[in-house]
Amino acid sequence: MRNIRLIARLDIKAPNLVKGIQLEGLRKLGDPNIFAKKYYQEGIDEIYFEDIVASLYERNSLVEIIKRTTENVFVPITVGGGLRNINDISSALRSGADKVSINTAAIKNPEIIKKAAKRFGSQSIVLSIQAKKNTNGWEAYFDNGREHSGIDAVDWASRGEELGAGELLVTSVDKEGMAKGFDSELIKEISSNVSIPVIASGGMGKLDHLSDVIKLGGADAVAMAHVLHYEILTLNEIRDYAFKEGIPIRNI
Amino acid sequence: MKKDVTILDYGIGNLLSVSRAIHESGGIANITDDREKIATADYLILPGVGNFSLAIKELRDRGFEESILNHQSKERPLLGICLGMQLFFDSSEEEGLHKGLGIISGSVKSIPTKNQSGFSHKIPHIGWSPLELNLKEDNESKSILNDQHDGQFFYFIHSYQGHVDKAEECIAITKYNDLNITAVIQKNYAIGCQFHPEKSGENGIKFLKSFLSY
């Protein structure tokens, strides 16, 4: 059996948890550790932290937050945002993160994925792809959806696998924060092209969206923010729905 | 009384998370690379993520291979986690053939990418997966696992898997698609788990408590 993972995505603008729409227009929601702990107690499978301004201001403030989270949260933690080199990755992993996700640094220098995978193992390295639809398909963006790279997102996913990424986090910039469903077409294009797990992110608003992105899109994991942070759905409701729909998930 | 647990620091693995999970399980965690401290450890944990060949080289270069084997020969509790468990085997095929610690007879091989009918397994295997116990009467009493663990979910993340020569030394498997994955190995007081107990929520903490009860 291959079980689908339910991931809580926490975007951080230190020291707060924030939520935006299409990665912009941020609202402060509070202490990220309180949210992380709550999701852990409710049975989340993984937690993903993204420092959404780190890359822009060339800093990374997540390390202190992760150190606190790992005191009492015993599920895997992925950290992204502003990790620029092997030292940054090493410091995130030493602070309790299990995986790191890399976007901007990889677009600027793809070799960082290769180096990091060799040093820390592919299973620690997640390539984060922020994709925006265009007339030909999807283009990869960086600096938290602000800058476009000219790189085709589907090609970039395959290249990421070749370079040694162990997993792909695919965020649809168009769908992010809209709560109107994932870009299942994008997820399908990418997941059918690679043989590493794909995490779908951006767009979860109601239960049916989960089924679409898994059954149509072939996602291996689903990252959720809006529905959890605003308490539109509880993890119990999501779990019950998945069982009913025949989506294999962790039994807690 | 709280048990002292020594976590071997050989430059590889998520030591902070392991030590916090030990704390949560009621133990006192000591992260160390001091061979004298390791020699007097009651409980020893060999963590590890990443590459087998790098890890075994680090262990050998730093003189820890002997420390671990000494600990094991004194029948003191030893726990290998993920890559730490894989290091217990005779050998691994990760990036060439490498000799392991030889605590468990068998070898470590990559998880096949396709099955016989052409179905592709995504690699790494990442996710929560339930244990299927393989306990015989003769290993039941001293096993780290009992009925309570059967069917419980643990967090796995790996691209390679251990294959035991002696079936009784694999005390639990998990299924990944149609593949049987060695999940827990045990030979006397040497225990290895492919999953990460420090990342497996309440189930992982319970597993570590079982380890500390030896």
Side-chain angles (χ1 to χ4, degrees):
Chain A
M1 196 169 31
R2 142 188 172 269
N3 288 307
I4 303 297
R5 285 169 285 145
L6 303 173
I7 301 175
R9 174 175 179 148
L10 284 78
D11 287 344
I12 310 292
K13 186 177 177 185
N16 287 302
L17 171 68
V18 295
K19 186 72 200 89
I21 295 176
Q22 295 181 326
L23 301 173
E24 290 179 332
L26 305 175
R27 263 184 68 180
K28 282 187 199 170
L29 299 177
D31 181 348
N33 288 105
I34 293 173
F35 283 83
K37 180 142 196 224
K38 175 172 172 265
Y39 298 147
Y40 169 64
Q41 286 166 341
E42 291 173 356
I44 199 75
D45 291 335
E46 282 186 41
I47 293 175
Y48 174 61
F49 285 114
E50 167 113 5
D51 188 344
I52 61 164
V53 291
S55 178
L56 199 60
Y57 297 107
E58 300 275 310
R59 66 188 166 87
N60 183 15
S61 49
L62 265 191
V63 165
E64 289 310 310
I65 293 173
I66 314 160
K67 275 189 184 159
R68 270 172 60 206
T69 300
T70 50
E71 278 172 25
N72 46 28
V73 169
F74 300 102
V75 291
I77 292 174
T78 304
V79 172
L83 303 172
R84 291 175 300 274
N85 50 47
I86 296 292
N87 280 345
D88 291 346
I89 294 169
S90 175
S91 105
L93 295 175
R94 287 195 79 89
S95 309
D98 302 283
K99 305 184 245 186
V100 293
S101 94
I102 303 169
N103 175 12
T104 303
I107 285 183
K108 291 182 174 166
N109 171 26
E111 289 297 307
I112 190 176
I113 297 287
K114 200 176 195 173
K115 261 200 225 158
K118 198 160 174 59
R119 170 83 189 272
F120 305 106
S122 284
Q123 80 293 325
S124 310
I125 309 301
V126 181
L127 176 66
S128 163
I129 300 177
Q130 293 172 342
K132 223 178 202 178
K133 203 161 175 42
N134 62 20
T135 46
N136 309 317
W138 293 267
E139 185 181 353
Y141 276 63
F142 62 100
D143 269 347
N144 209 44
R146 290 180 204 92
E147 304 287 337
H148 69 111
S149 66
I151 300 169
D152 179 83
V154 180
D155 291 345
W156 181 223
S158 300
R159 175 100 171 92
E161 178 181 14
E162 280 166 27
L163 287 164
E167 212 173 356
L168 300 171
L169 169 74
V170 181
T171 305
S172 160
V173 179
D174 309 297
K175 302 284 184 178
E176 203 280 327
M178 304 293 277
K180 295 209 169 109
F182 295 90
D183 190 340
S184 295
E185 278 298 310
L186 164 70
I187 301 300
K188 188 181 166 193
E189 279 297 315
I190 289 182
S191 70
S192 58
N193 247 304
V194 297
S195 55
I196 52 178
V198 174
I199 306 164
S201 177
M204 176 80 175
K206 59 177 188 179
L207 292 168
D208 287 345
H209 296 154
L210 189 71
S211 175
D212 288 348
V213 77
I214 293 164
K215 292 182 180 170
L216 304 176
D220 300 283
V222 177
M224 298 173 281
H226 181 99
V227 286
L228 296 178
H229 305 339
Y230 292 121
E231 297 184 333
I232 293 162
L233 294 170
T234 66
L235 274 164
N236 269 339
E237 286 170 323
I238 296 168
R239 216 174 272 291
D240 287 347
Y241 170 84
F243 278 119
K244 225 169 49 206
E245 284 289 304
I247 297 168
I249 56 163
R250 165 163 74 125
N251 203 340
I252 54 169
Chain B
M1 211 186 74
K2 288 200 170 185
K3 306 245 171 98
D4 278 302
V5 181
T6 301
I7 301 168
L8 181 62
D9 179 3
Y10 60 113
I12 286 167
N14 194 335
L15 305 176
L16 186 64
S17 296
V18 175
S19 83
R20 283 177 167 167
I22 287 297
H23 179 77
E24 184 76 10
S25 311
I28 300 167
N30 308 294
I31 297 174
T32 187
D33 60 357
D34 180 339
R35 271 184 285 165
E36 282 178 28
K37 284 186 186 157
I38 296 162
T40 57
D42 292 326
Y43 292 81
L44 182 63
I45 295 187
L46 180 61
V49 291
N51 182 297
F52 188 101
S53 57
L54 282 179
I56 196 76
K57 184 173 182 302
E58 286 296 321
L59 281 183
R60 293 207 170 107
D61 289 355
R62 300 180 188 211
F64 294 142
E65 181 176 31
E66 204 188 333
S67 311
I68 296 165
L69 294 176
N70 272 338
H71 183 89
Q72 187 238 348
S73 68
K74 288 179 194 152
E75 301 220 316
R76 290 179 181 165
L78 170 67
L79 177 64
I81 298 174
C82 193
L83 177 62
M85 160 202 169
Q86 295 181 359
L87 293 167
F88 285 7
F89 283 84
D90 289 328
S91 65
S92 169
E93 293 179 1
E94 185 168 359
E95 292 184 15
L97 188 65
H98 303 277
K99 196 169 167 290
L101 295 170
I103 295 171
I104 296 277
S105 308
S107 58
V108 177
K109 296 184 165 78
S110 56
I111 302 173
T113 52
K114 277 195 168 52
N115 72 8
Q116 285 166 340
S117 50
F119 176 86
S120 292
H121 305 290
K122 292 222 172 168
I123 309 291
H125 166 222
I126 306 180
W128 293 76
S129 192
L131 296 188
E132 293 178 22
L133 265 48
N134 172 35
L135 293 181
K136 310 273 178 333
E137 267 172 39
D138 57 331
N139 64 8
E140 202 170 0
S141 58
K142 60 182 187 209
S143 166
I144 189 166
L145 300 175
N146 57 46
D147 290 346
Q148 281 181 7
H149 299 99
D150 205 11
Q152 296 292 306
F153 283 64
F154 290 84
Y155 180 77
F156 290 80
I157 179 162
H158 60 122
S159 303
Y160 286 76
Q161 59 169 327
H163 296 271
V164 294
D165 288 344
K166 298 173 191 151
E168 70 274 15
E169 288 178 353
C170 169
I171 61 169
I173 62 147
T174 197
K175 282 259 185 339
Y176 179 44
N177 299 318
D178 58 349
L179 298 171
N180 284 348
I181 304 275
T182 300
V184 186
I185 53 176
Q186 182 165 11
K187 182 180 179 183
N188 300 319
Y189 294 97
I191 295 147
C193 53
Q194 181 60 64
F195 55 80
H196 285 273
E198 77 281 15
K199 293 290 165 180
S200 296
E202 295 288 317
N203 290 342
I205 302 300
K206 270 189 222 155
F207 178 84
L208 292 172
K209 282 181 179 164
S210 300
F211 175 64
L212 293 185
S213 70
Y214 277 106

